[in-house]
Amino acid sequence: MRILLTGSTGQVGNALLRQLQGLGTIIAPGRDQLDLSQPKLVRQAIRDLQPDLILNPAAYTAVDKAENEPDLANAINAESPAVMAEEAKKSGCILIHYSTDYVFSGSKQDDSGNWVPYKEQDATHPVNVYGQSKLSGEQAILQSGCRHLIFRTSWVYSLFGKNFLLTMLRLANERPELKVVNDQWGAPTSADWLAQTTLDIVRQIQQAEKPGEWWAQHQGLYHVTPAGKTSWCGFTEEIITQASQRQMLLKDAPNILGIPSSDYPTPARRPHNSLLDTAKLTQHFSIQTPTWQAVLDSCLTSNSVRNQ
Ligand SMILES: NC(=O)c1ccc[n+]([C@@H]2O[C@H](COP(=O)([O-])OP(=O)(O)OC[C@H]3O[C@@H](n4cnc5c(N)ncnc54)[C@H](OP(=O)(O)O)[C@@H]3O)[C@@H](O)[C@H]2O)c1
């Protein structure tokens, strides 16, 4: 199998690159070789490379910056994925694409005012440019008719790159007190767990005895996050607890203070509710989602193992 992997310098792409070894011939061009802001070049590259599977975790992910660069965000997050889908439809190639909780407004509640996880079929309504560009990408793929899976995930972190986990570990070693937003809810997702889940599903695709039937049953959108919910503040508390247990902090654990989003203004609005219902993932692929705390534990354990 020839696998075209985009974004291998990013969190999810890097985790995929490490975990895909042995699955086939992996082609992982960097941005200088395959620039997703140039959809025409993406089309030609796919025609030249003739992949059997495209894994597309590459994205314009600078949520705040996107407010001032909507055209660029749209080219990378919507136009290039649309081209990938068109080419996949023509060649019979499979497209696995990643999307985000930010396609939703984040206001879904039950009658008692509790945040309720979004299901795949719930109405979308992005509240920022990034979310709109990712939604447009999803829609183009869904409409293309190519063999595709779209994995919506949330709050991605890893021991690699720029992310909330590494920022909090750094700040915990620098400051006696951390003020963290406590009114946005979600499920933190490690890039490694997302890659492992992807790999599990790719193996199921490979093992399908009747591919036509498999795709008729499984093609489409899935929510892929660990189980449970927390706020950014709760996530920080767990990071500090688990890091302290592993002697990853250089000094005493900082005091953590929860603050409302209104005390931490950002150029792009964020949804309050980022919770994604993963029942469809379990139903279709028999994947039991671990708790977000267990996923964080695995991530930090892999760091301890690497440092031994
Ligand atoms: N991060 C999150 O919290 C989060 C939450 C929900 C969903 N997601 C989705 O999950 C997926 C993976 O996210 P991530 O956290 O792994 O992202 P990331 O760490 O920001 O990595 C993004 C990747 O995309 C590449 N890229 C950006 N612009 C490009 C261009 N013009 N041409 C080619 N490559 C380009 C980057 O390359 P360079 O290294 O050259 O910049 C990098 O490899 C994305 O679809 C994202 O929308 C992420």
Side-chain angles (χ1 to χ4, degrees):
M1 178 157 64
R2 283 171 68 76
I3 303 168
L4 172 59
L5 172 65
T6 67
S8 61
T9 53
Q11 299 189 82
V12 176
N14 181 263
L16 284 166
L17 185 62
R18 281 184 279 112
Q19 295 193 34
L20 285 171
Q21 300 303 322
L23 203 70
T25 304
I26 301 161
I27 308 149
R31 183 202 289 249
D32 50 341
Q33 295 150 307
L34 184 62
D35 184 351
L36 268 62
S37 69
Q38 309 283 331
K40 278 187 191 158
L41 300 183
V42 171
R43 188 183 302 282
Q44 193 53 51
I46 294 171
R47 289 181 182 174
D48 293 344
L49 294 169
Q50 300 188 332
D52 305 301
L53 166 65
I54 301 172
L55 284 162
N56 185 39
Y60 183 113
T61 54
V63 176
D64 288 319
K65 222 172 144 198
E67 295 296 304
N68 293 321
E69 293 185 331
D71 292 345
L72 183 59
N74 211 51
I76 297 170
N77 292 347
E79 292 170 32
S80 277
V83 163
M84 290 176 197
E86 280 170 28
E87 292 304 311
K89 171 73 179 159
K90 282 184 204 151
S91 68
C93 164
I94 295 162
L95 174 60
I96 298 184
H97 177 76
Y98 295 84
S99 190
T100 171
D101 51 297
Y102 280 22
V103 297
F104 296 115
S105 70
S107 58
K108 186 178 178 186
Q109 291 178 313
D110 65 16
D111 293 342
S112 311
N114 301 310
W115 299 119
V116 181
Y118 282 96
K119 292 183 186 296
E120 284 80 354
Q121 67 273 22
D122 280 338
T124 50
H125 188 90
V127 295
N128 56 44
V129 167
Y130 164 76
Q132 181 57 57
S133 69
K134 293 293 293 183
L135 177 61
S136 300
E138 282 186 2
Q139 288 168 337
I141 295 168
L142 290 166
Q143 286 160 16
S144 70
C146 76
R147 288 185 169 175
H148 67 268
L149 296 170
I150 301 174
F151 298 148
R152 281 189 191 138
T153 190
S154 66
W155 296 19
V156 177
Y157 65 89
S158 71
L159 294 167
F160 174 88
K162 211 176 142 209
N163 61 69
F164 189 83
L165 168 67
L166 294 182
T167 301
M168 286 301 137
L169 287 174
R170 177 175 55 77
L171 293 178
N173 282 320
E174 290 172 4
R175 299 184 187 175
E177 183 172 84
L178 302 180
K179 291 182 182 170
V180 194
V181 167
N182 65 0
D183 60 0
Q184 291 172 24
W185 297 91
T189 305
S190 87
D192 271 336
W193 178 78
L194 186 58
Q196 193 187 315
T197 304
T198 303
L199 199 62
D200 187 341
I201 295 170
V202 171
R203 290 215 174 92
Q204 294 187 34
I205 297 171
Q206 286 183 313
Q207 286 161 9
E209 285 173 10
K210 295 180 179 166
E213 280 180 26
W214 194 96
W215 282 104
Q217 281 171 23
H218 300 300
Q219 182 163 298
L221 256 174
Y222 292 87
H223 289 172
V224 187
T225 70
K229 74 166 185 176
T230 190
S231 66
W232 290 112
C233 185
F235 185 29
T236 306
E237 286 167 353
E238 187 67 20
I239 290 169
I240 302 301
T241 302
Q242 292 198 19
S244 301
Q245 286 163 356
R246 291 180 166 77
Q247 282 88 41
M248 288 172 73
L249 298 186
L250 306 175
K251 56 191 192 63
D252 287 345
N255 186 32
I256 298 163
L257 195 67
I259 57 166
S261 305
S262 51
D263 284 3
Y264 189 75
T266 51
R269 271 180 66 200
R270 261 74 174 169
H272 281 287
N273 179 5
S274 283
L275 295 166
L276 300 176
D277 185 321
T278 58
K280 186 179 171 195
L281 178 78
T282 303
Q283 195 192 343
H284 279 249
F285 304 118
S286 304
I287 290 170
Q288 304 298 330
T289 51
T291 64
W292 65 267
Q293 294 95 328
V295 170
L296 175 63
D297 181 71
S298 298
C299 175
L300 295 179
T301 302
S302 69
N303 181 52
S304 313
V305 171
R306 274 181 220 170
N307 289 342
Q308 270 172 15

